[in-house]
Amino acid sequence: VQQYAARQALITFLNTTVVTFAIAVLTNNFFGPDGLVEILTNIFMINCVANPVLNMLDIGLLYKLYMRRKIRAAPDRCFLPQIEANEIFEGSDFNIAKRYSSIISSVFTAVFFSYLTPIGLVFSMISLILAYIMDKYTLLRLCRTPPNISGEVSLGMTELVEYTLPLHAIGHALFDLLIYQVIDTYTIIGIASGIAVCLLPMDYINKSLFPLTEKVLTKETYDEAQTDFKEDYDRLNPCLLYTSPSPRDRQKSRMPSSA
């Protein structure tokens, strides 16, 4: 899943970036009417809403919802085999690799062209928020239970965000060179820093700079360790602390009074 999502994200990003960038270079139109800035702004505005909505609108799922309503309205007229009926009442598959690739490619595109269209970062952020809301609803309400996926997939996709640093610097350098025929020192430093972050073993460096203290296991009884608990069963269930009267209390209550 991780390799497929990363490969799809890279292919989508290259297709979008290379084609758009090549048209702008050949026409030498960056800021004019129908130029690169105008085209990119329209693309970011459309993708801000279109991608989350299209991911949620599944034709197969809409057909299943229609069939469910039809079967519930007249169950005695349903003559489908049990296998087909089960398939209708099951949700659609949730393609998490496709979702990851779409998110990563949109982030890469917005970062690469951020020098010309910084508003694209805002539209991309809005798109990510909408994608999170709609994907969460789709996953919990409309789709079948997805297969178990290791947390390493999420960590691997998160590590791809490190490539936004060199992409931003490279985009800055390319457009500076094409528009102003110059590349400043800060851009070169940014490219070198971004590449260094991607190549250096950052996990080892972070663990060396910020070591985690290992927990020391101790043998204690429940009564000894109870004082360190933030919560316990008795505090969460105070009503259960009431106990019935002991036999001695019952005997005392049955004794006649001195009066």
Side-chain angles (χ1 to χ4, degrees):
V1 175
Q2 179 179 344
Q3 294 179 354
Y4 173 80
R7 185 167 56 251
Q8 288 296 113
L10 180 60
I11 293 173
T12 305
F13 165 70
L14 290 178
N15 288 336
T16 305
T17 304
V18 171
V19 173
T20 309
F21 184 76
I23 293 174
V25 173
L26 293 175
T27 58
N28 196 21
N29 186 4
F30 294 97
F31 302 101
D34 297 329
L36 181 60
V37 174
E38 183 177 347
I39 293 174
L40 289 175
T41 303
N42 293 332
I43 290 175
F44 287 130
M45 290 177 61
I46 294 173
N47 291 340
C48 177
V49 179
N51 283 342
V53 173
L54 291 177
N55 287 333
M56 188 174 180
L57 292 180
D58 185 357
I59 302 300
L61 179 61
L62 294 177
Y63 171 75
K64 288 183 178 181
L65 294 176
Y66 167 75
M67 290 300 298
R68 292 176 193 176
R69 185 175 180 180
K70 184 177 180 180
I71 292 174
R72 289 192 180 103
D76 54 337
R77 298 181 182 179
C78 179
F79 302 101
L80 294 175
Q82 188 65 41
I83 297 177
E84 295 183 10
N86 293 340
E87 184 66 23
I88 290 175
F89 281 88
E90 285 184 351
S92 301
D93 293 326
F94 187 83
N95 193 341
I96 192 169
K98 181 180 178 181
R99 299 295 198 275
Y100 274 130
S101 63
S102 176
I103 291 172
I104 295 298
S105 62
S106 64
V107 171
F108 282 175
T109 304
V111 169
F112 182 79
F113 291 109
S114 60
Y115 178 73
L116 292 180
T117 55
I119 192 65
L121 296 174
V122 178
F123 286 124
S124 295
M125 182 182 65
I126 296 174
S127 177
L128 292 178
I129 295 174
L130 294 176
Y132 170 78
I133 296 174
M134 292 186 176
D135 284 348
K136 183 178 180 180
Y137 177 81
T138 303
L139 180 61
L140 298 179
R141 299 288 184 179
L142 302 179
C143 292
R144 68 182 69 181
T145 303
N148 292 328
I149 299 176
S150 173
E152 298 295 331
V153 176
S154 299
L155 293 177
M157 293 294 101
T158 304
E159 291 177 355
L160 292 178
V161 181
E162 296 178 355
Y163 293 96
T164 56
L165 297 175
L167 281 176
H168 171 71
I170 292 172
H172 194 161
L174 286 176
F175 292 117
D176 267 347
L177 184 62
L178 291 172
I179 298 173
Y180 304 108
Q181 288 78 42
V182 65
I183 299 178
D184 56 12
T185 306
Y186 296 104
T187 303
I188 298 175
I189 295 175
I191 295 175
S193 302
I195 295 175
V197 169
C198 296
L199 297 180
L200 292 176
M202 298 306 298
D203 291 339
Y204 176 78
I205 295 175
N206 291 331
K207 291 179 181 179
S208 300
L209 295 176
F210 309 101
L212 298 177
T213 57
E214 296 182 358
K215 295 182 178 180
V216 180
L217 299 178
T218 58
K219 294 182 180 181
E220 295 180 348
T221 63
Y222 176 81
D223 294 333
E224 294 173 348
Q226 187 177 8
T227 55
D228 297 331
F229 294 166
K230 294 181 180 180
E231 295 176 346
D232 57 16
Y233 186 82
D234 294 337
R235 296 173 189 171
L236 295 177
N237 302 277
C239 295
L240 298 179
L241 294 177
Y242 172 77
T243 57
S244 59
S246 63
R248 182 180 300 177
D249 295 333
R250 293 178 181 176
Q251 291 177 1
K252 290 182 179 180
S253 63
R254 295 176 182 177
M255 293 178 61
S257 60
S258 58

